[in-house]
Amino acid sequence: MTEDVIMAEGLTKVFNKSLVAVDHVNFNVKEGEIFGFLGSNGLEKRQPLTC
């Protein structure tokens, strides 16, 4: 059984006290997995990594 090397629970990012960019995101990345966010330009895919 592989271990989680990254665990994120309940990540939320709000700009200007009203714009929610990321709302309660949860994810786990196990040892040896390749992980990435997919989506169009401007969708704030990097925000979970900077919370």
Side-chain angles (χ1 to χ4, degrees):
M1 182 172 171
T2 59
E3 292 186 39
D4 291 332
V5 293
I6 299 173
M7 294 174 50
E9 295 182 2
L11 293 179
T12 300
K13 179 69 173 190
V14 180
F15 293 98
N16 298 323
K17 298 181 183 179
S18 62
L19 176 62
V20 179
V22 176
D23 193 16
H24 294 94
V25 171
N26 300 314
F27 62 87
N28 296 357
V29 180
K30 297 196 177 299
E31 183 178 354
E33 286 184 328
I34 297 172
F35 179 82
F37 291 103
L38 301 177
S40 300
N41 290 340
L43 290 180
E44 299 297 335
K45 294 176 293 293
R46 68 185 165 96
Q47 286 305 320
L49 305 177
T50 60
C51 285

